[in-house]
Amino acid sequence: MSVFDYTLKELQEKLHNKEITVTDLVKASYQQIEDVDEQVKAFITLDKEAALEKANQLDQEIDQATNPLFGIPIGIKDNIVTKGLRTTCASQLLDNFNDPLYDATVVQKLKNEKTVTIGKLNMDEFAMGSSNENSSYYTTRNPWNTDYVPGGSSGGSAAAVAAREVFFSLGSDTGGSIREPASYCGVVGLKPTYGLVSRFGLVAFASSLDQIGPITKSVEDNAHLLQAIVGSDEMDSTSVDVERVDYTEKLKNGVKGMKIAVPKEYLSDQEGVNEEVRQSVKDALKVFEDLGATCEEVSLPHSKYAVAAYYLIASSEASANLARFDGVRYGVRSENATNMIDMFKMTRSEGFGEEVKRRIMLGTFALSSGYYDAYYKKAQKVRTLIKQDFDKVFEDYDVVVGPTAPTTAFKVGEKTDDPLTMYANDVLTIPVNLAGVPGISVPCGFSEETGLPFGLQIIGKHFDEQTIYQAAYAYEQATDHHKKQPSLGGAK
C-alpha cells in the first residue's frame, strides 16, 4: 500500500511504531508531485528544502507527539499568507510577493500542530472562478481525467488531495469554492460556519462570505483538520468565540432518528441538475433511510435568487477589497507609467486578469451613487430571505441534503466564453455562503458516461459541524465511493 492510502490515525500509529518517519512522508509527497504534477498542475510554489528540514526536526520529536496531524504534509491554497513563502493568489499582480512577513492564523495553528507545508496550491485568480481556468499561471487539471477542470476556485487544493500529492489541504470558500472542486475531484471538502475559522491572513475576496476550510480524503480526516484550525482570533473581528467541541466525538453515532430535509429546488431541472446527479442523490437518500434516517421534501423558495444576489454582493465587496492592489506597497508595479495616475491604472490593467476586472467593474457599478439601493441593498435583503429559509427548515430538520454541483466536471475550455453559464454552476453551493451555515461535500457516485465523480452536499445549522460530520461519516462508511482513486490521464 502507498502511504497515501492510510488514514491520519493509521499514519500516527506507524510513526510512533517507527515503521515510517516524517521524512518518509514528505519525500513520498514530493515524489508523487514529481510523478504527476506535470499533468495535474496543482502547485504554484513548492518549499522542498524547508519541508525536508522541518521533517528531520520532527523525526526527533515523534515520541512526544500527541495530535493526529503531527508530521503530515499539507498543501495551502495560494491566497492564504505564509511567512517567507511566496503567496500570489494566482495573479500576475502578486507574482513577486516572495517573502510575506507573517503567517495566516490557520497556518500558524497548523504549525502548532506540527504539520509540514509542502507548497502553495493553484487557484482561480483572487479566488474568482469555478474551474481554475482563471489562474494567471496555468489551469489545474482534474486527476480523474486531465481533459476536465477540477472546479474552483480551490481547484489546486482538491486536485492535490485527489492525486495523492498531499494528505490534505486548505482551501477557501466564498460561493462553493471548496465544495464544488471537492465534488468534481471526488474528495471531502467542508465550508465551515462563517466566523468559526479565522480569516486573518486570507487575501480577501468577499469579506462577508469568505471562509477557510479543509479538503481531505475522508470525513474523519476532515474533522481532525477542522479541529486544528477553529477558534476565535483577536486579529479577525468576524471570528466567533464559541464553545470548543470535539468534531470526532459523534462521528460514529449514526443517523438513526435523524431528520433530513431534501429541498425540491436542489433537484430541479430548472437549476440545471442533470439526471445522473439527481439519481445519485436519490440513491444516497435511500442509504440514509436504510440507516434509520427520515428524508422529507422541503422548499427553500428564495434559492432561485441566490446566484443574482451573490454576484452583486461578492463583486461589490471584491471591488472594495481589491482597491488596495495598486502597485504602491507590494506586488508588481507597471514599468510603463510616467506619472502616478498612470501607474495606478496600468498596474491594475496589466496585473489583473479578465475575470477579476469583470467582477471589479460589476461591483463598482453596484456600489455607485444612484444604483446602491437598486442593486447592492436589494441583494442584501434577498440574502436575509435566503437565511430565513434555512432557519425555518432547521426548526424541524437536522440537516439539508442535495447535490453539491448540478453536473460533473466539464471539459477545459468548454465554458470560458460564457461567464453567465459558469456562474450558474455555483447555484447549489451559493445559498450556504449567503446564509453563513456550514456545508460539506462527500463523494456519492460516478458518471457512467465520463467516469467523473459526483458530490453529495450536507448542510447543517450554524456551528453544528458535529452533526454534518455525523451524517457524512455514516454515509461514507455505508458506501465505497471514497475508496476509489483516479487513474491520471483518463478516468477509471
Side-chain angles (χ1 to χ4, degrees):
M1 289 177 66
S2 163
V3 291
F4 291 98
D5 294 325
Y6 295 111
T7 65
L8 293 181
K9 189 179 294 183
E10 291 168 337
L11 286 172
Q12 291 306 320
E13 289 178 6
K14 290 186 174 295
L15 285 169
H16 282 280
N17 293 335
K18 307 295 173 66
E19 296 175 42
I20 57 174
T21 65
V22 177
T23 300
D24 291 335
L25 297 180
V26 172
K27 285 183 176 178
S29 188
Y30 281 114
Q31 184 60 57
Q32 183 72 352
I33 290 169
E34 184 177 327
D35 290 344
V36 307
D37 206 56
E38 185 62 33
Q39 300 173 64
V40 179
K41 297 187 179 301
F43 283 89
I44 291 177
T45 305
L46 295 172
D47 198 24
K48 187 172 184 178
E49 185 177 338
L52 288 171
E53 183 179 333
K54 179 70 171 178
N56 183 60
Q57 174 191 330
L58 294 178
D59 283 331
Q60 314 307 313
E61 304 175 16
I62 186 62
D63 292 332
Q64 288 78 48
T66 58
N67 73 79
L69 304 187
F70 181 92
I72 308 299
I74 184 170
I76 307 292
K77 187 175 179 180
D78 205 24
N79 62 343
I80 300 173
V81 176
T82 43
K83 184 177 181 179
L85 180 59
R86 184 171 176 239
T87 301
T88 71
C89 293
S91 176
Q92 291 303 305
L93 203 148
L94 289 175
D95 183 59
N96 66 353
F97 190 31
N98 296 319
D99 194 20
L101 299 177
Y102 65 95
D103 279 320
T105 297
V106 290
V107 173
Q108 186 56 56
K109 284 177 177 284
L110 290 173
K111 285 184 175 180
N112 295 343
E113 297 291 316
K114 309 291 188 179
T115 62
V116 183
T117 299
I118 294 300
K120 305 299 288 293
L121 292 157
N122 197 18
M123 55 184 283
D124 286 296
E125 184 182 5
F126 285 102
M128 298 182 190
S130 305
S131 66
N132 219 267
E133 292 169 290
N134 293 331
S135 169
S136 72
Y137 294 104
Y138 34 74
T139 298
T140 298
R141 303 294 179 127
N142 194 314
W144 290 91
N145 188 324
T146 54
D147 290 335
Y148 288 76
V149 302
S153 63
S154 306
S157 299
V161 174
R164 274 32 183 189
E165 295 179 302
V166 288
F167 293 86
F168 46 64
S169 66
L170 289 185
S172 68
D173 193 310
T174 307
S177 290
I178 287 174
R179 289 159 291 149
E180 189 216 52
S183 174
Y184 284 1
C185 292
V187 292
V188 179
L190 175 87
K191 196 288 290 186
T193 304
Y194 183 80
L196 184 66
V197 178
S198 171
R199 293 184 299 109
F200 178 71
L202 173 68
V203 178
F205 163 16
S207 301
S208 72
L209 299 164
D210 299 338
Q211 266 292 273
I212 296 170
I215 298 177
T216 59
K217 295 177 296 180
S218 71
V219 173
E220 185 173 6
D221 287 358
N222 202 278
H224 282 304
L225 186 50
L226 181 67
Q227 191 78 45
I229 62 174
V230 298
S232 62
D233 178 14
E234 63 181 12
M235 302 298 289
D236 176 10
S237 62
T238 64
S239 68
V240 181
D241 187 9
V242 294
E243 182 182 353
R244 293 292 295 270
V245 298
D246 181 352
Y247 295 111
T248 64
E249 184 181 12
K250 297 182 180 179
L251 268 184
K252 300 178 182 179
N253 286 7
V255 295
K256 188 173 183 179
M258 190 175 287
K259 293 189 68 177
I260 295 175
V262 185
K264 61 183 180 181
E265 292 83 3
Y266 285 20
L267 295 176
S268 168
D269 288 330
Q270 292 180 336
E271 303 297 359
V273 180
N274 75 23
E275 184 54 39
E276 277 193 311
V277 172
R278 190 181 298 112
Q279 188 58 51
S280 75
V281 173
K282 290 179 179 179
D283 292 343
L285 295 173
K286 181 66 166 59
V287 171
F288 280 122
E289 290 175 338
D290 291 343
L291 294 172
T294 301
C295 302
E296 297 176 356
E297 185 177 86
V298 299
S299 178
L300 295 172
H302 295 98
S303 293
K304 60 185 176 182
Y305 305 115
V307 172
Y310 168 83
Y311 277 99
L312 281 167
I313 294 168
S315 297
S316 297
E317 294 182 11
S319 171
N321 279 324
L322 270 62
R324 72 194 69 175
F325 299 104
D326 53 16
V328 175
R329 290 168 285 274
Y330 53 84
V332 176
R333 178 185 296 183
S334 174
E335 298 178 357
N336 302 315
T338 57
N339 60 63
M340 186 179 69
I341 300 301
D342 283 350
M343 187 270 288
F344 287 151
K345 291 180 179 178
M346 297 176 75
T347 292
R348 291 168 65 80
S349 177
E350 296 167 12
F352 288 138
E354 293 303 312
E355 181 61 29
V356 176
K357 292 174 186 175
R358 182 182 294 120
R359 297 199 194 193
I360 289 173
M361 291 175 67
L362 173 61
T364 303
F365 173 77
L367 292 176
S368 61
S369 177
Y371 296 99
Y372 176 90
D373 285 350
Y375 294 105
Y376 182 76
K377 188 175 180 180
K378 184 172 288 187
Q380 291 286 21
K381 290 180 178 179
V382 172
R383 179 182 193 168
T384 300
L385 294 174
I386 290 169
K387 177 186 177 297
Q388 289 172 348
D389 285 347
F390 278 107
D391 290 343
K392 185 176 181 181
V393 167
F394 284 132
E395 289 176 2
D396 301 312
Y397 296 91
D398 298 297
V399 293
V400 172
V401 170
T404 305
T407 65
T408 57
F410 46 89
K411 285 192 172 183
V412 173
E414 186 176 321
K415 298 183 179 181
T416 50
D417 295 330
D418 189 357
L420 292 181
T421 300
M422 190 83 81
Y423 295 168
N425 286 333
D426 301 331
V427 64
L428 301 174
T429 53
I430 280 172
V432 173
N433 297 79
L434 291 173
V437 294
I440 195 171
S441 178
V442 294
C444 72
F446 296 83
S447 167
E448 290 186 9
E449 181 181 346
T450 64
L452 295 168
F454 305 122
L456 181 74
Q457 183 173 210
I458 304 172
I459 304 164
K461 303 171 186 176
H462 289 97
F463 302 107
D464 193 18
E465 279 78 2
Q466 262 191 336
T467 301
I468 289 180
Y469 280 135
Q470 186 179 333
Y473 184 83
Y475 174 76
E476 180 186 73
Q477 295 306 302
T479 60
D480 62 357
H481 307 308
H482 66 291
K483 295 180 181 178
K484 297 183 179 180
Q485 297 182 26
S487 174
L488 289 174
K492 278 189 174 182

